Amino acid sequence: PVHGERFRSGDDRHPPYLSAAKERATPVVMATATIAPRHVFGAKGDVADNVTYVDETTVAYVAGHQLVLFHVETKTQRFIPGQADTEAITAIAFSQCKSYVAVAERAERGVITVYDLTTTTGSPRKRVLASTDVGSKEYVSVAFSPDGKWVIAQGGAPEWNVTLWNWERCKQLACVPAKPLGSDAGAVRQVRFAAHDPGLASCAGEGLFRTFKCAESGVRALPDVKLPPAKSGASKNYTAHCWLPDDAEVTDGGEEGAERRERCVLATDGGELLVVELNEVKATIPCARSDSKGVDCVIPYGVGGFVCGGADGTVSVYEKTDEKELYKRVKHFVIKQSPGARVTALALSPTDETLLCSTDDNQMYEVDMSNVDVVKSEDIECSLFTQGHHTQGVTGVDLCVRKPLAVTCSSDKSVRVWNYLDKADEICKFFAEEAHSVAFHPSGLHVLVGFSDKLRLCNLLMDDIRPYREFSIKGCRECSFSNGGKYFAAVNGPVIQVYNMYTCENVGNCRGHGGKVTGIAFSADDKRLISTGLDGAVYEWSLSTFQREKENVIKSNEYASVAVAPDDGYVYAVGSDATLKQLDGEDLMLNEEFALGTDRGESGRPTETFTRVRLTNGGRRLFAATSTGAVRAYGLDGGRVVGEGKEYKELRCHAGPVTGMRVNFDDTLLFCVGEDGVLSVFDVKERAMEGATKAGEGMVFAQEVLMTKADLEDIRSRMHELEVQVNELTLQGEYQLRLKDLNMNEKIKDLTDKFQGELEGERSKYEALLQEKNELEMDFADQMKTTENKHAQAMAATESSFQNKILNEIERYQALVEEKEELNRGWDEQNTALAESHDRLVADLTEEFAGKLQDEQMHSETLRLQLEDSRAAANERENQLEEDADLEIDELKEKYELRLKEQRDVSLRLKGENGIMKKKFTTMQKSIAEQKDEIAGLFTDKKNLYATIADLEKDVAGLKREIRDRDETIGDKEKRIYDLKKKNQELEKFKFVLDFKIKELKRTIEPREQDISDMKNQITEMDKELERYNKSNTHLDLTIKDLRNKLLGMGQDVKRKQKAIEDRDSAIHSFQKDLHEATKHVQTPKRLAEEVKSLYAKHMTQKIDDKPPDKDIQREYNRQREYLEKTIDQFKRKLAKDVETHKKDNMALMNQNVALIKEINELRRETKMLRQSTSKASAPAPSAHSSGRLASKLGSRAGSRGGDDGLVREVETARLEIATLRAESDAKDARIAELEEYIAEGEAIPEPASVVRVATPEKASGAVRIPTLAASAEVDEHAAATRIQAVHRGRVAREEVKVKKLVSGALENVARGDDS
């Protein structure tokens, strides 16, 4: 590893993580053109922990081959690119302080790069961590220790080793296997540090969960956790785990320095959660049966809680409880926009208000967690973060000239339109087929998309991509509009088809490639077309004659892309030989080759190849993309590459092969797409130190959009409705404001009068109180004088009594002093006697203990010798203990340094709180003093209030009188309310009558609804029967076509064989005749020999050889066969069209029959009602309302005459119309059957006879009586349904008879040898 390696960047104005991407170039002369990343549309969902909040406004995630730092407010991006010689980013991790980020990448030997994001100037510092002991090409998980000093990483297959680094010194501390010896555990998924203890780490995987003790001296595995087995007896698959930072507890009664209990949540692929503490499972949280889906990620949330996400886009929120499970699920919601996707990573903002969810289909969603406690689970909304991305590889890209838009298509069956100025996804449309290529018309109003089944030309509407023309080109991998937009070319296998954009007519085809065409490019004047293919050919075609004019073929190379210089001077092509070829535009001869400079694999083919090539519109720069996701920028001088292809800049931007490249019209931006599903936008600059130009600067983009007439009418109608609503609301608001103004003016007037009266009353009260105050002051002055006199007398009496008490106490004190002196003399005598006895006792004890001292000295010498022996043995044990203690001291030192740091922070916080409390104490003292003053004032106010109470009692009496007056007013209003209640009762009675009438009407409507539902069921059954008939007809049509083709082939074979037989018979007959003549000369051998020679010369006229048939004959045969096949296809399409027309006519007739039957039913019911009304004509009408309703129904049908005659005539007219329509339907069926017979027999189709509608006798004779109308209606309905079914069954029977006739006739013709 290189210590202190830095990025090289030309812009030092931004923080470290906002630096431009690192560029890789050969150490030759600096290139004249360079590119820098500007924006990335997409994300990489298969990276471990691929989304994180750096701060409240910055989100970090992986896209392509770089780490993106996205600013939420400004929507700007900055990039930390991956290493140039690595394959892809596999995992990322941020330290707890968000100052450092570790990026793990896949390479020949896995590598981890740690970036310091705190650098204020220049590029961010980095440390490269690599190990030869990891035994894998990648790291699947990375984590920082809580103090940010160590980095732990989980290696991948096959060895699955855990590696620990001190990243600041680039020192590897340990590398140990994650699996114990002899374990059959599978893949290891995650590695994590404990939330508080930097010396505790863990890893989880398939059937595995282990904890490790980490130190500078190495990594030691702790005893295995006893985990519950699965129901089947096998080990569980542990998919994710996390340590909870705020759930730590202190043991041993809360003593200082006690060990902290770290708690871990462990998730399984079955949705079960385990709570592990001190290497023991403390609780198990089972999953619900309805959502027993695996958990893929877990992160802490809030105080002691956590959030987990898993399969099918499920996210669950858990909070800490006092129950047995310790945690309870409080919310559970599903990301509905990505059905079936797995949530692979979660991230919470620093304030825990926003949750980011990353899924394995490259999408990111954000959830508002600020109100998650009050919102129901089903009401939680998940919205896209920034915009949606492609879920699979992007297969094509193109740009618009007149608008700042780019269009991409992907294997996920979607086509997206991006605005690269607003950095937004404007339109996204999903189709039923996979899209392979896309082209943008220069006007920005049309898009050409090549799908698996067809090529579609689509209109780009304001909010939709709507196809309006389809072309039968399957799997079109390349398509392009001409520079002027008049033509577009599409690849159909080895053929290039050119169409007119406005008429959609195929103006010509370019045939000549021996393999699939992989690249096409129009010349600047749209007169020529350059193409490349897998056959190693580069062809130039003339678009006026569609003939090949120039060519260059290298059969060993498979070309992938081609580009033409604006002046047509040079052509550039790339292919499978890992070289960039420069061809002369005059004759397409190879001028120069520029090698990619890659190694070759075991098969001899290059491990890295060029995939795309693109020129700027000005012809000053050339870009080439590779299969590893890199883009090279070359400078051009007069169309030639500068520096013989050695001067270039290379930027690694994608995690897979680049599948498309485009440059915008003003040559300031480069767009690249790849198989990683990412669209990358780059700034194109002349020099590396040049600042980024503003995209589209100096260009005026068009603002118009396409909109269909129907959409425009909808918008106009909606605008009209909104305008009407606005006007209504404006009028209503003005009316309400006027009403409020009137009410407020009245209230103001009332309040003014009221307060004027109250003010006068208060003034009189104030004057009365003032007079009373003066009287009270005089009374209190007299009382004070009386009180002072009484106080002076009491003081004199008290002084005389206390003088007598003092004299008595003085006498008592003198007696106590004399008693004290006598006691002191007695104690002095006792003290002298005690001192003499003590001296004697000390002398005796000295003699006794002198002998004991000698014995103790001898015993001490013996113990000293034993001590020396023990000390020597103890020194050895001490040395060993010191070594062990040093290790523990280092660990404790680090541990207690962390605690000391925490205590210092707590101390500083307490000092601040102490200062605040002092200020509060001073304030409280002041407030106490103020309260005392206020209490004194309140005592004064109390006296005043007692006086005020008396006045208020007087006011109460007045108010009581006022209450009596108001009671009288209330009584009057209650009488009025009673009257209104009576009126309300009458209205309720009227309402009851109306409800009864409504119920009667509903009972009348119910039979009609039942009839309608029966007819709908009948129509549904008939539709199903029609569908079955159509399917059987289609099957029969296919059978007929196959039989016709077989008959045609068999007839041709029979004719050929009959002709050959006739020729052979004639030849044999002639030979027999000549042979008979020769046998006459058997007796004369010489004559016989001459006859045999003449016989040989006559019949052996041709030399027999085995030459193949003539090519011209074969070509003519193929041409005739193609013509016949096209003719058959035309007949097939015509037959299908006729069948479809017949089907539509049948459906229209059925709909008309159903409508007429409904109308007949209504007429029957109305006739019945008319008869009932006429039979009861003498009786009075039941009610004015019902009679009016009946009259309104009859008025529209009876006319001015009224009665039964008009209604009967109308019913009869409808009946005749039904009969006529049925006759027309039968005639059409017969005509269709006749046309099908003509088509089957190959005869000319005669002109149809004009259909004449003949009036029936009933119609000519006028109205007819209908004695039993209901019975005849039912018969008509049944007859109509039976007739429709009979027609379709008859058609199937006719088709079967025709097929049998055709087959039998064809067999008879074959037997007879008939040519037809």
Side-chain angles (χ1 to χ4, degrees):
V2 181
H3 291 236
E5 184 180 354
R6 292 174 177 267
F7 280 128
R8 291 176 293 175
S9 174
D11 191 358
D12 295 335
R13 295 173 295 174
H14 302 292
Y17 53 86
L18 307 181
S19 65
K22 183 180 76 172
E23 297 174 347
R24 182 185 69 178
T26 55
V28 197
V29 185
M30 292 297 292
T32 59
T34 184
I35 56 176
R38 181 185 187 92
H39 200 86
V40 171
F41 298 97
K44 199 170 186 291
D46 59 350
V47 177
D49 305 322
N50 66 325
V51 60
T52 307
Y53 266 98
V54 180
D55 52 45
E56 194 64 35
T57 59
T58 305
V59 177
Y61 59 91
V62 178
H65 195 62
Q66 59 237 337
L67 179 65
V68 180
L69 294 117
F70 178 77
H71 197 279
V72 178
E73 296 177 353
T74 61
K75 295 185 178 180
T76 56
Q77 292 180 347
R78 298 295 174 181
F79 307 91
I80 296 178
Q83 299 293 328
D85 53 352
T86 59
E87 298 178 10
I89 297 174
T90 58
I92 63 171
F94 278 80
S95 61
Q96 286 189 359
C97 60
K98 307 298 182 183
S99 300
Y100 309 103
V101 58
V103 181
E105 300 174 70
R106 184 189 302 115
E108 292 183 1
R109 190 175 63 186
V111 64
I112 298 175
T113 309
V114 181
Y115 298 92
D116 183 4
L117 304 182
T118 59
T119 308
T120 56
T121 59
S123 302
R125 294 178 301 166
K126 70 174 184 179
R127 297 287 188 273
V128 179
L129 310 178
S131 173
T132 57
D133 304 329
V134 68
S136 177
K137 296 177 62 178
E138 63 179 356
Y139 294 96
V140 297
S141 181
V142 186
F144 274 92
S145 61
D147 55 3
K149 293 181 180 179
W150 296 339
V151 170
I152 192 169
Q154 176 61 58
E159 297 187 9
W160 304 103
N161 290 329
V162 177
T163 310
L164 180 67
W165 284 278
N166 185 328
W167 68 269
E168 292 181 343
R169 293 183 294 170
C170 292
K171 179 182 178 182
Q172 177 182 330
L173 302 180
C175 182
V176 298
K179 304 177 185 179
L181 293 176
S183 174
D184 57 351
V188 184
R189 297 175 179 271
Q190 260 188 351
V191 64
R192 290 286 186 268
F193 267 108
H196 299 285
D197 187 0
L200 182 60
S202 61
C203 66
E206 295 180 2
L208 173 72
F209 177 71
R210 298 188 76 191
T211 54
F212 301 92
K213 189 68 176 179
C214 302
E216 288 286 343
S217 58
V219 175
R220 177 170 56 88
L222 296 176
D224 292 340
V225 181
K226 295 182 180 179
L227 299 172
K231 294 182 179 179
S232 60
S235 300
K236 292 185 178 180
N237 182 11
Y238 301 102
T239 55
H241 72 291
C242 79
W243 297 85
L244 304 182
D246 295 329
D247 197 24
E249 299 177 358
V250 178
T251 60
D252 298 334
E255 296 179 2
E256 185 177 2
E259 184 180 358
R260 187 185 293 269
R261 290 182 178 177
E262 299 285 353
R263 179 172 290 178
C264 177
V265 176
L266 185 61
T268 67
D269 57 354
E272 188 180 29
L273 298 174
L274 306 178
V275 181
V276 181
E277 184 178 318
L278 297 178
N279 268 20
E280 294 182 1
V281 177
K282 293 295 184 181
T284 301
I285 306 173
C287 61
R289 293 183 179 179
S290 59
D291 50 19
S292 58
K293 300 166 185 175
V295 177
D296 293 320
C297 52
V298 185
I299 62 170
Y301 168 66
V303 180
F306 59 91
V307 182
C308 59
D312 295 340
T314 57
V315 180
S316 301
V317 182
Y318 290 83
E319 290 184 356
K320 186 179 178 182
T321 63
D322 296 331
E323 299 176 359
K324 180 180 179 181
E325 290 82 7
L326 298 180
Y327 295 94
K328 179 182 179 182
R329 189 174 77 177
V330 294
K331 297 293 176 185
H332 178 77
F333 56 92
V334 179
I335 301 175
K336 300 177 183 177
Q337 293 91 329
S338 292
R342 303 185 71 92
V343 179
T344 57
L346 298 170
L348 278 165
S349 62
T351 58
D352 288 349
E353 292 184 355
T354 305
L355 175 68
L356 283 183
C357 307
S358 175
T359 59
D360 59 355
D361 59 354
N362 301 335
Q363 305 296 331
M364 291 189 294
Y365 300 92
E366 59 179 347
V367 182
D368 186 7
M369 303 291 286
S370 59
N371 58 352
V372 72
D373 296 334
V374 296
V375 178
K376 295 181 180 179
S377 297
E378 56 270 16
D379 295 336
I380 297 176
E381 295 184 358
C382 302
S383 58
L384 282 169
F385 180 69
T386 64
Q387 66 269 328
H389 306 139
H390 284 296
T391 60
Q392 297 180 20
V394 183
T395 55
V397 63
D398 202 4
L399 304 179
C400 176
V401 176
R402 299 186 66 244
K403 294 181 181 180
L405 300 178
V407 62
T408 57
C409 62
S410 171
S411 300
D412 60 3
K413 302 179 182 180
S414 69
V415 177
R416 294 177 182 266
V417 179
W418 313 85
N419 190 318
Y420 53 82
L421 292 186
D422 298 337
K423 301 171 183 176
D425 180 8
E426 289 203 344
I427 303 175
C428 176
K429 181 69 175 290
F430 283 88
F431 294 88
E433 298 293 334
E434 180 181 350
H436 300 289
S437 60
V438 67
F440 219 140
H441 193 267
S443 65
L445 303 178
H446 311 285
V447 175
L448 186 66
V449 187
F451 293 96
S452 299
D453 57 345
K454 290 183 181 180
L455 176 71
R456 291 180 173 87
L457 184 61
C458 308
N459 285 330
L460 190 64
L461 305 182
M462 185 170 61
D463 55 355
D464 190 16
I465 302 174
R466 191 168 300 173
Y468 82 96
R469 190 64 185 267
E470 295 181 348
F471 306 92
S472 57
I473 300 177
K474 295 183 178 181
C476 178
R477 298 283 177 176
E478 287 290 332
C479 60
S480 176
F481 282 99
S482 62
N483 296 317
K486 183 179 179 182
Y487 301 101
F488 66 85
V491 173
N492 188 1
V495 181
I496 304 173
Q497 298 182 355
V498 182
Y499 292 85
N500 188 301
M501 162 62 198
Y502 302 104
T503 62
C504 296
E505 179 186 0
N506 184 6
V507 296
N509 298 326
C510 300
R511 303 176 184 271
H513 279 281
K516 288 185 178 181
V517 178
T518 57
I520 54 175
F522 283 91
S523 62
D525 55 1
D526 290 342
K527 293 182 179 180
R528 291 178 301 280
L529 182 69
I530 311 297
S531 64
T532 57
L534 296 178
D535 55 353
V538 181
Y539 293 148
E540 180 178 318
W541 309 85
S542 173
L543 294 183
S544 59
T545 61
F546 296 99
Q547 297 295 324
R548 187 170 62 207
E549 294 185 345
K550 305 170 186 176
E551 64 179 25
N552 182 292
V553 181
I554 303 175
K555 293 186 178 180
S556 61
N557 185 23
E558 296 179 357
Y559 285 106
S561 181
V562 65
V564 184
D567 56 356
D568 300 336
Y570 295 97
V571 175
Y572 299 90
V574 295
S576 60
D577 59 352
T579 59
L580 171 64
K581 292 180 171 55
Q582 185 179 29
L583 308 177
D584 192 354
E586 294 293 333
D587 51 7
L588 288 185
M589 296 301 294
L590 180 63
N591 280 354
E592 202 168 356
E593 289 185 350
F594 308 104
L596 180 62
T598 182
D599 299 331
R600 293 185 178 270
E602 297 178 357
S603 62
R605 299 177 66 87
T607 58
E608 181 181 359
T609 59
F610 286 112
T611 58
R612 288 290 182 270
V613 64
R614 179 61 55 179
L615 274 166
T616 58
N617 297 310
R620 301 178 60 183
R621 288 175 288 275
L622 175 68
F623 303 103
T626 68
S627 58
T628 60
V631 177
R632 287 187 178 184
Y634 297 88
L636 299 180
D637 184 8
R640 300 181 65 86
V641 178
V642 177
E644 298 180 356
K646 297 180 180 180
E647 297 181 9
Y648 63 85
K649 288 288 183 178
E650 182 173 305
L651 179 64
R652 182 75 180 278
C653 55
H654 289 276
V658 177
T659 57
M661 237 185 348
R662 290 292 185 273
V663 181
N664 67 335
F665 187 71
D666 57 356
D667 296 342
T668 58
L669 297 177
L670 173 67
F671 294 77
C672 294
V673 295
E675 292 183 0
D676 55 356
V678 172
L679 168 62
S680 301
V681 185
F682 302 93
D683 286 316
V684 179
K685 300 181 288 187
E686 289 290 341
R687 293 173 296 276
M689 301 299 293
E690 181 182 354
T693 59
K694 186 176 180 181
E697 186 176 4
M699 293 187 64
V700 179
F701 291 113
Q703 300 296 328
E704 67 271 9
V705 295
L706 285 181
M707 182 181 294
T708 61
K709 187 175 181 181
D711 294 340
L712 186 60
E713 292 296 333
D714 292 340
I715 292 173
R716 286 177 177 174
S717 62
R718 181 61 180 162
M719 288 176 61
H720 179 68
E721 292 175 0
L722 292 174
E723 288 176 356
V724 172
Q725 291 180 6
V726 168
N727 294 332
E728 291 177 355
L729 291 173
T730 302
L731 294 175
Q732 186 177 0
E734 292 176 353
Y735 176 69
Q736 294 293 336
L737 286 174
R738 286 197 296 271
L739 290 178
K740 288 182 179 179
D741 289 340
L742 293 174
N743 293 332
M744 293 304 296
N745 290 332
E746 292 178 357
K747 289 181 180 180
I748 290 170
K749 185 178 180 181
D750 295 340
L751 290 173
T752 302
D753 296 339
K754 180 180 178 181
F755 282 112
Q756 286 292 337
E758 291 179 355
L759 183 61
E760 293 297 331
E762 293 295 330
R763 283 178 181 175
S764 60
K765 289 178 182 179
Y766 173 73
E767 291 175 355
L769 289 172
L770 186 61
Q771 183 179 358
E772 186 177 359
K773 175 192 171 188
N774 294 331
E775 293 176 356
L776 290 173
E777 286 178 353
M778 294 174 66
D779 293 340
F780 278 116
D782 295 339
Q783 291 178 4
M784 285 294 292
K785 289 180 181 179
T786 305
T787 304
E788 287 176 357
N789 293 331
K790 290 180 180 180
H791 179 67
Q793 294 174 1
M795 284 290 293
T798 304
E799 285 179 359
S800 61
S801 64
F802 276 103
Q803 285 292 336
N804 295 328
K805 290 181 180 179
I806 289 170
L807 291 174
N808 295 330
E809 292 295 329
I810 289 171
E811 292 176 354
R812 184 182 174 191
Y813 172 73
Q814 290 175 355
L816 291 172
V817 168
E818 292 176 357
E819 185 178 358
K820 174 188 173 186
E821 290 177 354
E822 291 179 358
L823 291 172
N824 286 336
R825 286 193 297 272
W827 285 113
D828 289 338
E829 293 175 355
Q830 292 179 4
N831 189 22
T832 304
L834 288 172
E836 293 176 355
S837 63
H838 176 69
D839 292 337
R840 289 192 298 271
L841 182 61
V842 168
D844 297 336
L845 291 173
T846 302
E847 293 177 358
E848 182 180 358
F849 280 101
K852 291 182 178 181
L853 180 61
Q854 292 179 358
D855 296 337
E856 290 296 331
Q857 286 177 353
M858 294 174 65
H859 184 62
S860 175
E861 183 65 22
T862 304
L863 292 176
R864 185 181 62 77
L865 296 175
Q866 294 178 357
L867 179 63
E868 289 178 355
D869 296 337
S870 300
R871 189 173 292 169
N875 287 333
E876 295 180 1
R877 287 196 296 270
E878 184 180 0
N879 293 331
Q880 295 177 357
L881 291 173
E882 283 179 354
E883 293 177 357
D884 296 337
D886 289 339
L887 296 175
E888 294 182 0
I889 288 169
D890 292 338
E891 295 177 358
L892 292 172
K893 182 179 178 182
E894 294 176 357
K895 181 177 180 180
Y896 286 110
E897 281 179 354
L898 291 175
R899 291 190 177 181
L900 181 61
K901 184 178 179 181
E902 294 176 357
Q903 292 296 329
R904 286 176 179 171
D905 296 337
V906 172
S907 177
L908 291 174
R909 187 174 70 252
L910 292 175
K911 285 181 180 179
E913 293 177 355
N914 188 21
I916 294 170
M917 293 302 294
K918 285 182 179 179
K919 292 181 182 179
K920 289 183 178 179
F921 180 72
T922 306
T923 307
M924 290 299 294
Q925 285 183 337
K926 292 180 181 179
S927 64
I928 289 169
E930 293 174 355
Q931 290 292 332
K932 288 181 179 179
D933 296 339
E934 186 177 357
I935 289 169
L938 289 173
F939 277 114
T940 305
D941 295 339
K942 182 179 178 182
K943 294 178 182 178
N944 297 332
L945 289 173
Y946 278 122
T948 306
I949 288 169
D951 296 333
L952 292 175
E953 288 177 351
K954 296 178 182 178
D955 295 337
V956 168
L959 291 172
K960 286 181 179 179
R961 289 192 297 272
E962 185 177 356
I963 288 170
R964 284 195 297 273
D965 297 337
R966 292 192 176 183
D967 286 339
E968 294 176 358
T969 306
I970 289 169
D972 296 337
K973 290 186 176 180
E974 284 179 350
K975 291 179 181 180
R976 186 178 177 187
I977 290 169
Y978 178 73
D979 297 336
L980 291 173
K981 285 183 178 179
K982 285 185 177 180
K983 190 175 182 181
N984 189 21
Q985 290 176 355
E986 294 177 357
L987 292 173
E988 287 180 353
K989 293 178 181 178
F990 185 66
K991 179 184 176 184
F992 176 75
V993 175
L994 292 176
D995 290 338
F996 180 74
K997 292 180 179 179
I998 290 169
K999 290 179 181 178
E1000 287 182 349
L1001 291 173
K1002 286 183 179 179
R1003 285 196 294 270
T1004 307
I1005 291 170
E1006 285 177 358
R1008 296 184 179 181
E1009 292 178 347
Q1010 184 64 31
D1011 294 339
I1012 291 170
S1013 63
D1014 294 340
M1015 294 300 294
K1016 286 182 178 178
N1017 294 332
Q1018 187 177 358
I1019 291 169
T1020 305
E1021 293 175 357
M1022 294 172 69
D1023 289 338
K1024 292 179 180 178
E1025 189 173 359
L1026 273 176
E1027 186 176 355
R1028 289 196 298 271
Y1029 289 156
N1030 289 331
K1031 289 182 179 178
S1032 63
N1033 289 341
T1034 306
H1035 180 69
L1036 290 172
D1037 290 340
L1038 295 174
T1039 306
I1040 291 168
K1041 291 173 185 176
D1042 294 337
L1043 291 173
R1044 286 174 180 169
N1045 293 331
K1046 290 179 180 179
L1047 288 173
L1048 183 61
M1050 291 171 65
Q1052 292 175 354
D1053 292 339
V1054 168
K1055 287 191 291 183
R1056 286 195 298 271
K1057 290 180 180 180
Q1058 287 177 349
K1059 186 176 180 181
I1061 290 169
E1062 290 175 357
D1063 294 339
R1064 290 192 184 97
D1065 290 341
S1066 62
I1068 290 169
H1069 182 70
S1070 176
F1071 181 74
Q1072 287 176 347
K1073 185 178 180 181
D1074 295 338
L1075 183 61
H1076 180 70
E1077 293 294 331
T1079 54
K1080 294 179 181 180
H1081 306 283
V1082 174
Q1083 301 299 328
T1084 56
K1086 186 175 180 180
R1087 181 68 175 167
L1088 180 62
E1090 291 176 359
E1091 290 293 333
V1092 170
K1093 287 181 181 179
S1094 64
L1095 185 65
Y1096 178 80
K1098 180 179 180 181
H1099 291 283
M1100 295 300 293
T1101 57
Q1102 295 180 354
K1103 186 179 180 181
I1104 299 174
D1105 54 4
D1106 297 332
K1107 289 184 178 180
D1110 191 3
K1111 292 183 178 179
D1112 294 333
I1113 297 173
Q1114 185 69 26
R1115 192 180 299 110
E1116 179 64 21
Y1117 169 78
N1118 292 335
R1119 187 184 66 78
Q1120 292 182 4
R1121 183 176 179 180
E1122 289 177 359
Y1123 172 76
L1124 293 174
E1125 288 177 352
K1126 289 181 180 179
T1127 306
I1128 291 170
D1129 290 337
Q1130 291 177 359
F1131 281 122
K1132 288 180 181 178
R1133 288 195 294 271
K1134 188 173 181 181
L1135 179 60
K1137 186 175 180 181
D1138 292 339
V1139 171
E1140 185 66 23
T1141 305
H1142 183 209
K1143 182 179 177 182
K1144 290 180 180 179
D1145 293 339
N1146 283 342
M1147 292 301 296
L1149 289 173
M1150 287 176 62
N1151 293 332
Q1152 291 178 5
N1153 290 340
V1154 171
L1156 291 171
I1157 289 169
K1158 288 182 180 179
E1159 188 174 357
I1160 288 169
N1161 290 334
E1162 290 183 4
L1163 292 173
R1164 289 182 194 138
R1165 295 188 187 96
E1166 291 176 0
T1167 303
K1168 186 176 180 182
M1169 292 172 65
L1170 277 172
R1171 291 186 175 182
Q1172 290 176 359
S1173 61
T1174 53
S1175 63
K1176 298 178 182 180
S1178 59
S1183 64
H1185 177 72
S1186 61
S1187 63
R1189 181 167 57 86
L1190 187 58
S1192 63
K1193 280 190 173 182
L1194 297 176
S1196 61
R1197 303 196 180 272
S1200 60
R1201 295 174 60 187
D1204 293 343
D1205 295 335
L1207 182 61
V1208 170
R1209 284 197 299 273
E1210 188 173 353
V1211 171
E1212 184 60 28
T1213 304
R1215 187 185 229 179
L1216 296 175
E1217 184 68 17
I1218 291 169
T1220 305
L1221 291 172
R1222 286 173 180 165
E1224 291 180 358
S1225 175
D1226 295 339
K1228 289 182 179 179
D1229 288 340
R1231 177 60 179 169
I1232 290 169
E1234 184 182 359
L1235 292 175
E1236 290 175 352
E1237 291 176 359
Y1238 281 121
I1239 292 170
E1241 295 174 1
E1243 298 177 3
I1245 299 174
E1247 293 296 328
S1250 59
V1251 179
V1252 179
R1253 184 177 297 179
V1254 181
T1256 62
E1258 292 180 352
K1259 187 173 182 182
S1261 61
V1264 181
R1265 283 183 78 242
I1266 304 174
T1268 56
L1269 189 58
S1272 62
E1274 294 177 358
V1275 174
D1276 289 341
E1277 289 178 6
H1278 182 70
T1282 306
R1283 182 179 294 276
I1284 292 171
Q1285 294 176 0
V1287 167
H1288 292 292
R1289 291 195 185 98
R1291 181 184 173 192
V1292 173
R1294 288 195 299 271
E1295 293 286 346
E1296 292 177 353
V1297 171
K1298 283 192 293 181
V1299 171
K1300 291 179 180 178
K1301 289 181 178 179
L1302 287 172
V1303 173
S1304 61
L1307 293 175
E1308 291 174 1
N1309 291 334
V1310 171
R1312 292 196 305 265
D1314 190 358
D1315 294 339
S1316 60

